[in-house]
PDB file of all heavy atoms in Angstrom:
ATOM      1  N   PRO A1231      77.776  -0.278  45.251  1.00 57.00           N
ATOM      2  CA  PRO A1231      78.305   0.775  44.365  1.00 57.00           C
ATOM      3  C   PRO A1231      79.801   0.552  44.150  1.00 57.00           C
ATOM      4  O   PRO A1231      80.506   0.103  45.038  1.00 57.00           O
ATOM      5  CB  PRO A1231      78.043   2.064  45.142  1.00 57.00           C
ATOM      6  CG  PRO A1231      77.961   1.639  46.573  1.00 57.00           C
ATOM      7  CD  PRO A1231      77.354   0.258  46.557  1.00 57.00           C
ATOM      8  N   SER A1232      80.249   0.824  42.926  1.00 62.00           N
ATOM      9  CA  SER A1232      81.671   0.645  42.631  1.00 62.00           C
ATOM     10  C   SER A1232      82.490   1.708  43.351  1.00 62.00           C
ATOM     11  O   SER A1232      82.057   2.861  43.469  1.00 62.00           O
ATOM     12  CB  SER A1232      81.910   0.730  41.120  1.00 62.00           C
ATOM     13  OG  SER A1232      81.513   2.002  40.644  1.00 62.00           O
ATOM     14  N   ARG A1233      83.634   1.279  43.846  1.00 60.00           N
ATOM     15  CA  ARG A1233      84.503   2.222  44.561  1.00 60.00           C
ATOM     16  C   ARG A1233      85.495   2.829  43.589  1.00 60.00           C
ATOM     17  O   ARG A1233      85.955   2.161  42.659  1.00 60.00           O
ATOM     18  CB  ARG A1233      85.251   1.493  45.677  1.00 60.00           C
ATOM     19  CG  ARG A1233      84.337   0.976  46.777  1.00 60.00           C
ATOM     20  CD  ARG A1233      85.175   0.435  47.924  1.00 60.00           C
ATOM     21  NE  ARG A1233      85.998  -0.686  47.510  1.00 60.00           N
ATOM     22  CZ  ARG A1233      87.092  -1.088  48.145  1.00 60.00           C
ATOM     23  NH1 ARG A1233      87.517  -0.422  49.216  1.00 60.00           N
ATOM     24  NH2 ARG A1233      87.779  -2.117  47.724  1.00 60.00           N
ATOM     25  N   PRO A1234      85.832   4.098  43.786  1.00 63.00           N
ATOM     26  CA  PRO A1234      86.826   4.717  42.908  1.00 63.00           C
ATOM     27  C   PRO A1234      88.173   4.013  43.043  1.00 63.00           C
ATOM     28  O   PRO A1234      88.534   3.520  44.111  1.00 63.00           O
ATOM     29  CB  PRO A1234      86.899   6.165  43.405  1.00 63.00           C
ATOM     30  CG  PRO A1234      86.387   6.112  44.803  1.00 63.00           C
ATOM     31  CD  PRO A1234      85.357   5.017  44.826  1.00 63.00           C
ATOM     32  N   SER A1235      88.868   3.947  41.941  1.00 57.00           N
ATOM     33  CA  SER A1235      90.191   3.309  41.958  1.00 57.00           C
ATOM     34  C   SER A1235      91.191   4.222  41.271  1.00 57.00           C
ATOM     35  O   SER A1235      90.822   5.139  40.524  1.00 57.00           O
ATOM     36  CB  SER A1235      90.150   1.954  41.260  1.00 57.00           C
ATOM     37  OG  SER A1235      89.846   2.106  39.892  1.00 57.00           O
ATOM     38  N   HIS A1236      92.437   3.953  41.532  1.00 53.00           N
ATOM     39  CA  HIS A1236      93.532   4.749  40.961  1.00 53.00           C
ATOM     40  C   HIS A1236      94.625   3.791  40.500  1.00 53.00           C
ATOM     41  O   HIS A1236      94.980   2.858  41.214  1.00 53.00           O
ATOM     42  CB  HIS A1236      94.096   5.711  42.011  1.00 53.00           C
ATOM     43  CG  HIS A1236      95.301   6.479  41.548  1.00 53.00           C
ATOM     44  ND1 HIS A1236      95.205   7.607  40.770  1.00 53.00           N
ATOM     45  CD2 HIS A1236      96.628   6.268  41.757  1.00 53.00           C
ATOM     46  CE1 HIS A1236      96.411   8.069  40.521  1.00 53.00           C
ATOM     47  NE2 HIS A1236      97.294   7.269  41.108  1.00 53.00           N
ATOM     48  N   HIS A1237      95.096   3.999  39.279  1.00 52.00           N
ATOM     49  CA  HIS A1237      96.171   3.154  38.748  1.00 52.00           C
ATOM     50  C   HIS A1237      97.500   3.887  38.824  1.00 52.00           C
ATOM     51  O   HIS A1237      97.623   5.028  38.373  1.00 52.00           O
ATOM     52  CB  HIS A1237      95.871   2.744  37.305  1.00 52.00           C
ATOM     53  CG  HIS A1237      94.781   1.732  37.208  1.00 52.00           C
ATOM     54  ND1 HIS A1237      94.999   0.385  37.257  1.00 52.00           N
ATOM     55  CD2 HIS A1237      93.435   1.895  37.093  1.00 52.00           C
ATOM     56  CE1 HIS A1237      93.853  -0.264  37.167  1.00 52.00           C
ATOM     57  NE2 HIS A1237      92.878   0.634  37.068  1.00 52.00           N
ATOM     58  N   LYS A1238      98.466   3.216  39.419  1.00 57.00           N
ATOM     59  CA  LYS A1238      99.809   3.772  39.579  1.00 57.00           C
ATOM     60  C   LYS A1238     100.765   2.807  38.881  1.00 57.00           C
ATOM     61  O   LYS A1238     101.279   1.862  39.475  1.00 57.00           O
ATOM     62  CB  LYS A1238     100.131   3.883  41.072  1.00 57.00           C
ATOM     63  CG  LYS A1238     101.424   4.577  41.419  1.00 57.00           C
ATOM     64  CD  LYS A1238     101.562   4.645  42.936  1.00 57.00           C
ATOM     65  CE  LYS A1238     102.855   5.305  43.359  1.00 57.00           C
ATOM     66  NZ  LYS A1238     103.003   5.298  44.833  1.00 57.00           N
ATOM     67  N   GLY A1239     100.919   3.014  37.554  1.00 52.00           N
ATOM     68  CA  GLY A1239     101.660   2.023  36.779  1.00 52.00           C
ATOM     69  C   GLY A1239     100.884   0.710  36.799  1.00 52.00           C
ATOM     70  O   GLY A1239      99.669   0.689  36.566  1.00 52.00           O
ATOM     71  N   PRO A1240     101.510  -0.411  37.126  1.00 54.00           N
ATOM     72  CA  PRO A1240     100.817  -1.692  37.167  1.00 54.00           C
ATOM     73  C   PRO A1240     100.037  -1.920  38.463  1.00 54.00           C
ATOM     74  O   PRO A1240      99.370  -2.943  38.618  1.00 54.00           O
ATOM     75  CB  PRO A1240     101.963  -2.708  37.053  1.00 54.00           C
ATOM     76  CG  PRO A1240     103.121  -2.022  37.686  1.00 54.00           C
ATOM     77  CD  PRO A1240     102.961  -0.568  37.351  1.00 54.00           C
ATOM     78  N   VAL A1241     100.104  -0.971  39.406  1.00 59.00           N
ATOM     79  CA  VAL A1241      99.476  -1.128  40.712  1.00 59.00           C
ATOM     80  C   VAL A1241      98.107  -0.451  40.719  1.00 59.00           C
ATOM     81  O   VAL A1241      97.957   0.698  40.286  1.00 59.00           O
ATOM     82  CB  VAL A1241     100.365  -0.514  41.830  1.00 59.00           C
ATOM     83  CG1 VAL A1241      99.697  -0.669  43.187  1.00 59.00           C
ATOM     84  CG2 VAL A1241     101.738  -1.174  41.823  1.00 59.00           C
ATOM     85  N   ARG A1242      97.075  -1.169  41.226  1.00 55.00           N
ATOM     86  CA  ARG A1242      95.743  -0.588  41.360  1.00 55.00           C
ATOM     87  C   ARG A1242      95.466  -0.301  42.829  1.00 55.00           C
ATOM     88  O   ARG A1242      95.667  -1.170  43.689  1.00 55.00           O
ATOM     89  CB  ARG A1242      94.678  -1.534  40.820  1.00 55.00           C
ATOM     90  CG  ARG A1242      93.292  -0.890  40.750  1.00 55.00           C
ATOM     91  CD  ARG A1242      92.230  -1.854  40.300  1.00 55.00           C
ATOM     92  NE  ARG A1242      91.968  -2.882  41.320  1.00 55.00           N
ATOM     93  CZ  ARG A1242      90.984  -3.784  41.224  1.00 55.00           C
ATOM     94  NH1 ARG A1242      90.215  -3.798  40.154  1.00 55.00           N
ATOM     95  NH2 ARG A1242      90.818  -4.686  42.178  1.00 55.00           N
ATOM     96  N   LEU A1243      94.997   0.905  43.126  1.00 63.00           N
ATOM     97  CA  LEU A1243      94.737   1.332  44.497  1.00 63.00           C
ATOM     98  C   LEU A1243      93.269   1.677  44.679  1.00 63.00           C
ATOM     99  O   LEU A1243      92.646   2.296  43.800  1.00 63.00           O
ATOM    100  CB  LEU A1243      95.595   2.560  44.840  1.00 63.00           C
ATOM    101  CG  LEU A1243      97.110   2.410  44.644  1.00 63.00           C
ATOM    102  CD1 LEU A1243      97.794   3.759  44.817  1.00 63.00           C
ATOM    103  CD2 LEU A1243      97.684   1.399  45.619  1.00 63.00           C
ATOM    104  N   LYS A1244      92.707   1.273  45.850  1.00 59.00           N
ATOM    105  CA  LYS A1244      91.322   1.606  46.189  1.00 59.00           C
ATOM    106  C   LYS A1244      91.220   1.975  47.662  1.00 59.00           C
ATOM    107  O   LYS A1244      92.135   1.694  48.452  1.00 59.00           O
ATOM    108  CB  LYS A1244      90.400   0.418  45.903  1.00 59.00           C
ATOM    109  CG  LYS A1244      90.026   0.223  44.446  1.00 59.00           C
ATOM    110  CD  LYS A1244      88.955  -0.852  44.311  1.00 59.00           C
ATOM    111  CE  LYS A1244      88.458  -0.951  42.882  1.00 59.00           C
ATOM    112  NZ  LYS A1244      87.342  -1.934  42.755  1.00 59.00           N
ATOM    113  N   GLY A1245      90.097   2.557  48.025  1.00 64.00           N
ATOM    114  CA  GLY A1245      89.819   2.833  49.420  1.00 64.00           C
ATOM    115  C   GLY A1245      90.867   3.734  50.053  1.00 64.00           C
ATOM    116  O   GLY A1245      91.232   4.779  49.518  1.00 64.00           O
ATOM    117  N   ARG A1246      91.348   3.301  51.203  1.00 68.00           N
ATOM    118  CA  ARG A1246      92.323   4.109  51.937  1.00 68.00           C
ATOM    119  C   ARG A1246      93.680   4.184  51.248  1.00 68.00           C
ATOM    120  O   ARG A1246      94.538   4.971  51.654  1.00 68.00           O
ATOM    121  CB  ARG A1246      92.492   3.552  53.349  1.00 68.00           C
ATOM    122  CG  ARG A1246      91.242   3.677  54.214  1.00 68.00           C
ATOM    123  CD  ARG A1246      91.481   3.135  55.600  1.00 68.00           C
ATOM    124  NE  ARG A1246      90.279   3.226  56.428  1.00 68.00           N
ATOM    125  CZ  ARG A1246      90.212   2.787  57.684  1.00 68.00           C
ATOM    126  NH1 ARG A1246      91.282   2.213  58.238  1.00 68.00           N
ATOM    127  NH2 ARG A1246      89.093   2.912  58.371  1.00 68.00           N
ATOM    128  N   GLN A1247      93.866   3.348  50.240  1.00 64.00           N
ATOM    129  CA  GLN A1247      95.140   3.369  49.532  1.00 64.00           C
ATOM    130  C   GLN A1247      95.196   4.445  48.448  1.00 64.00           C
ATOM    131  O   GLN A1247      96.240   4.679  47.854  1.00 64.00           O
ATOM    132  CB  GLN A1247      95.396   1.996  48.876  1.00 64.00           C
ATOM    133  CG  GLN A1247      95.487   0.849  49.866  1.00 64.00           C
ATOM    134  CD  GLN A1247      96.616   1.023  50.854  1.00 64.00           C
ATOM    135  OE1 GLN A1247      97.723   1.409  50.469  1.00 64.00           O
ATOM    136  NE2 GLN A1247      96.352   0.778  52.131  1.00 64.00           N
ATOM    137  N   LEU A1248      94.063   5.095  48.191  1.00 67.00           N
ATOM    138  CA  LEU A1248      94.044   6.143  47.163  1.00 67.00           C
ATOM    139  C   LEU A1248      94.974   7.288  47.559  1.00 67.00           C
ATOM    140  O   LEU A1248      94.931   7.770  48.699  1.00 67.00           O
ATOM    141  CB  LEU A1248      92.624   6.687  46.972  1.00 67.00           C
ATOM    142  CG  LEU A1248      91.630   5.760  46.259  1.00 67.00           C
ATOM    143  CD1 LEU A1248      90.226   6.356  46.334  1.00 67.00           C
ATOM    144  CD2 LEU A1248      92.054   5.562  44.805  1.00 67.00           C
ATOM    145  N   PRO A1249      95.826   7.761  46.654  1.00 69.00           N
ATOM    146  CA  PRO A1249      96.753   8.861  46.986  1.00 69.00           C
ATOM    147  C   PRO A1249      96.042  10.203  47.041  1.00 69.00           C
ATOM    148  O   PRO A1249      95.002  10.412  46.407  1.00 69.00           O
ATOM    149  CB  PRO A1249      97.750   8.819  45.831  1.00 69.00           C
ATOM    150  CG  PRO A1249      96.960   8.277  44.685  1.00 69.00           C
ATOM    151  CD  PRO A1249      95.999   7.283  45.268  1.00 69.00           C
ATOM    152  N   ASP A1250      96.624  11.109  47.811  1.00 72.00           N
ATOM    153  CA  ASP A1250      96.071  12.459  47.917  1.00 72.00           C
ATOM    154  C   ASP A1250      96.597  13.381  46.828  1.00 72.00           C
ATOM    155  O   ASP A1250      96.032  14.448  46.579  1.00 72.00           O
ATOM    156  CB  ASP A1250      96.422  13.068  49.286  1.00 72.00           C
ATOM    157  CG  ASP A1250      95.781  12.284  50.433  1.00 72.00           C
ATOM    158  OD1 ASP A1250      94.654  11.799  50.249  1.00 72.00           O
ATOM    159  OD2 ASP A1250      96.430  12.159  51.483  1.00 72.00           O
ATOM    160  N   THR A1251      97.707  12.996  46.219  1.00 70.00           N
ATOM    161  CA  THR A1251      98.333  13.842  45.196  1.00 70.00           C
ATOM    162  C   THR A1251      98.663  12.986  43.984  1.00 70.00           C
ATOM    163  O   THR A1251      98.664  11.751  44.042  1.00 70.00           O
ATOM    164  CB  THR A1251      99.628  14.482  45.727  1.00 70.00           C
ATOM    165  OG1 THR A1251     100.545  13.436  46.095  1.00 70.00           O
ATOM    166  CG2 THR A1251      99.359  15.366  46.934  1.00 70.00           C
ATOM    167  N   THR A1252      98.963  13.648  42.884  1.00 60.00           N
ATOM    168  CA  THR A1252      99.362  12.939  41.672  1.00 60.00           C
ATOM    169  C   THR A1252     100.886  12.865  41.580  1.00 60.00           C
ATOM    170  O   THR A1252     101.604  13.596  42.275  1.00 60.00           O
ATOM    171  CB  THR A1252      98.824  13.641  40.417  1.00 60.00           C
ATOM    172  OG1 THR A1252      99.483  14.910  40.293  1.00 60.00           O
ATOM    173  CG2 THR A1252      97.316  13.848  40.509  1.00 60.00           C
ATOM    174  N   THR A1253     101.352  11.996  40.688  1.00 59.00           N
ATOM    175  CA  THR A1253     102.794  11.858  40.482  1.00 59.00           C
ATOM    176  C   THR A1253     103.406  13.177  40.026  1.00 59.00           C
ATOM    177  O   THR A1253     104.480  13.581  40.475  1.00 59.00           O
ATOM    178  CB  THR A1253     103.082  10.760  39.450  1.00 59.00           C
ATOM    179  OG1 THR A1253     102.512   9.535  39.912  1.00 59.00           O
ATOM    180  CG2 THR A1253     104.576  10.568  39.255  1.00 59.00           C
ATOM    181  N   ASP A1254     102.722  13.871  39.102  1.00 57.00           N
ATOM    182  CA  ASP A1254     103.238  15.152  38.623  1.00 57.00           C
ATOM    183  C   ASP A1254     103.331  16.178  39.748  1.00 57.00           C
ATOM    184  O   ASP A1254     104.290  16.948  39.823  1.00 57.00           O
ATOM    185  CB  ASP A1254     102.346  15.705  37.501  1.00 57.00           C
ATOM    186  CG  ASP A1254     102.608  15.015  36.178  1.00 57.00           C
ATOM    187  OD1 ASP A1254     103.682  14.410  36.056  1.00 57.00           O
ATOM    188  OD2 ASP A1254     101.748  15.096  35.289  1.00 57.00           O
ATOM    189  N   GLN A1255     102.324  16.191  40.613  1.00 65.00           N
ATOM    190  CA  GLN A1255     102.366  17.123  41.739  1.00 65.00           C
ATOM    191  C   GLN A1255     103.602  16.897  42.597  1.00 65.00           C
ATOM    192  O   GLN A1255     104.295  17.834  42.986  1.00 65.00           O
ATOM    193  CB  GLN A1255     101.109  16.948  42.605  1.00 65.00           C
ATOM    194  CG  GLN A1255      99.908  17.762  42.169  1.00 65.00           C
ATOM    195  CD  GLN A1255      98.762  17.544  43.127  1.00 65.00           C
ATOM    196  OE1 GLN A1255      98.178  16.467  43.163  1.00 65.00           O
ATOM    197  NE2 GLN A1255      98.435  18.550  43.904  1.00 65.00           N
ATOM    198  N   ARG A1256     103.840  15.622  42.909  1.00 62.00           N
ATOM    199  CA  ARG A1256     104.988  15.315  43.770  1.00 62.00           C
ATOM    200  C   ARG A1256     106.303  15.629  43.086  1.00 62.00           C
ATOM    201  O   ARG A1256     107.276  16.024  43.728  1.00 62.00           O
ATOM    202  CB  ARG A1256     104.935  13.839  44.197  1.00 62.00           C
ATOM    203  CG  ARG A1256     103.760  13.534  45.118  1.00 62.00           C
ATOM    204  CD  ARG A1256     103.856  12.128  45.697  1.00 62.00           C
ATOM    205  NE  ARG A1256     103.716  11.092  44.679  1.00 62.00           N
ATOM    206  CZ  ARG A1256     102.550  10.603  44.264  1.00 62.00           C
ATOM    207  NH1 ARG A1256     101.413  11.088  44.759  1.00 62.00           N
ATOM    208  NH2 ARG A1256     102.509   9.653  43.358  1.00 62.00           N
ATOM    209  N   LEU A1257     106.342  15.467  41.763  1.00 58.00           N
ATOM    210  CA  LEU A1257     107.556  15.773  41.024  1.00 58.00           C
ATOM    211  C   LEU A1257     107.850  17.263  41.040  1.00 58.00           C
ATOM    212  O   LEU A1257     108.998  17.684  41.235  1.00 58.00           O
ATOM    213  CB  LEU A1257     107.428  15.284  39.575  1.00 58.00           C
ATOM    214  CG  LEU A1257     108.553  15.695  38.619  1.00 58.00           C
ATOM    215  CD1 LEU A1257     109.880  15.065  39.047  1.00 58.00           C
ATOM    216  CD2 LEU A1257     108.217  15.315  37.193  1.00 58.00           C
TER     217      LEU A1257
END
């Protein structure tokens, strides 16, 4: 099964690297 991913600008994050919050939230 495909794992969820998150794009942070040019950086792609998966697995344990997925953030708990969004950029707007942190701002």
Side-chain angles (χ1 to χ4, degrees):
S1232 61
R1233 294 188 298 159
S1235 64
H1236 175 81
H1237 287 271
K1238 186 178 179 183
V1241 179
R1242 188 184 69 174
L1243 305 171
K1244 281 188 174 184
R1246 294 181 181 178
Q1247 299 299 317
L1248 288 172
D1250 296 324
T1251 60
T1252 67
T1253 302
D1254 282 341
Q1255 273 182 290
R1256 293 189 294 274
L1257 172 65

